[in-house]
Amino acid sequence: FPVTIKGYDIPTTLEEAKQVLTRYANYSEAGKEVSNTMMALDFETTTLFPWNQKGRVIAMSGSVGPGKAFSVWVVHKESTYKFKDIAPYVVAVLNSKHPKCWWDYKYDYGIARSCLTQRILELTEEDPSFEEYFTSIAGMTLS
């Protein structure tokens, strides 16, 4: 079992998760630009239907090459942090300049568009200061 997770970053704290997602959002292979480094991504969710706005992303995993992979809790019952704390970092990875490949692009894109976006907008309505926090990390505005 340890051989299968060698080089696999599986953070358990908020600080570790922030560091891992920031590192992968900016990762590039030696001598290459971020835009020339492929990233594979996948979501684990609570729904089979990407248009289900009540669905949640349980975890996001990704890889940029052999021995360079991560899995981060997004909304998980055993997570030590809240969705609002990790959401901007998840979006920063999704918005990184890496070309992306997905296990099931149509599904995962729908999940990002419906589930993640809906929950982020709900957080902004609950706490208007969240938008400034989100923008400062994700590098994009919600408006």
Side-chain angles (χ1 to χ4, degrees):
F1 181 72
V3 172
T4 61
I5 61 171
K6 184 179 180 185
Y8 210 86
D9 294 307
I10 307 172
T12 57
T13 68
L14 176 60
E15 286 310 311
E16 290 172 351
K18 287 177 177 181
Q19 290 172 2
V20 164
L21 291 174
T22 300
R23 186 169 8 120
Y24 279 90
N26 298 300
Y27 178 85
S28 65
E29 295 174 7
K32 289 187 176 183
E33 297 289 324
V34 171
S35 61
N36 286 330
T37 304
M38 179 68 72
M39 178 182 280
L41 291 170
D42 188 40
F43 288 135
E44 299 304 325
T45 68
T46 62
T47 182
L48 295 174
F49 307 103
W51 59 86
N52 180 353
Q53 293 183 352
K54 294 189 190 258
R56 297 290 183 249
V57 175
I58 298 167
M60 181 173 82
S61 57
S63 177
V64 290
K68 299 268 187 234
F70 69 91
S71 182
V72 175
W73 288 331
V74 179
V75 176
H76 192 281
K77 64 182 179 182
E78 294 181 23
S79 177
T80 59
Y81 47 84
K82 297 181 187 277
F83 173 72
K84 73 178 188 174
D85 298 322
I86 200 67
Y89 295 89
V90 169
V91 172
V93 169
L94 296 175
N95 284 338
S96 70
K97 294 184 179 189
H98 295 96
K100 315 274 189 319
C101 62
W102 298 80
W103 175 253
D104 183 349
Y105 174 78
K106 186 176 177 181
Y107 173 79
D108 287 317
Y109 177 76
I111 289 295
R113 224 181 123 119
S114 294
C115 297
L116 281 177
T117 301
Q118 181 63 33
R119 185 64 186 123
I120 288 167
L121 292 174
E122 289 168 6
L123 287 172
T124 302
E125 291 171 6
E126 294 167 13
D127 178 8
S129 68
F130 176 76
E131 185 168 3
E132 185 177 330
Y133 167 71
F134 178 87
T135 300
S136 70
I137 295 163
M140 63 177 285
T141 61
L142 296 172
S143 304

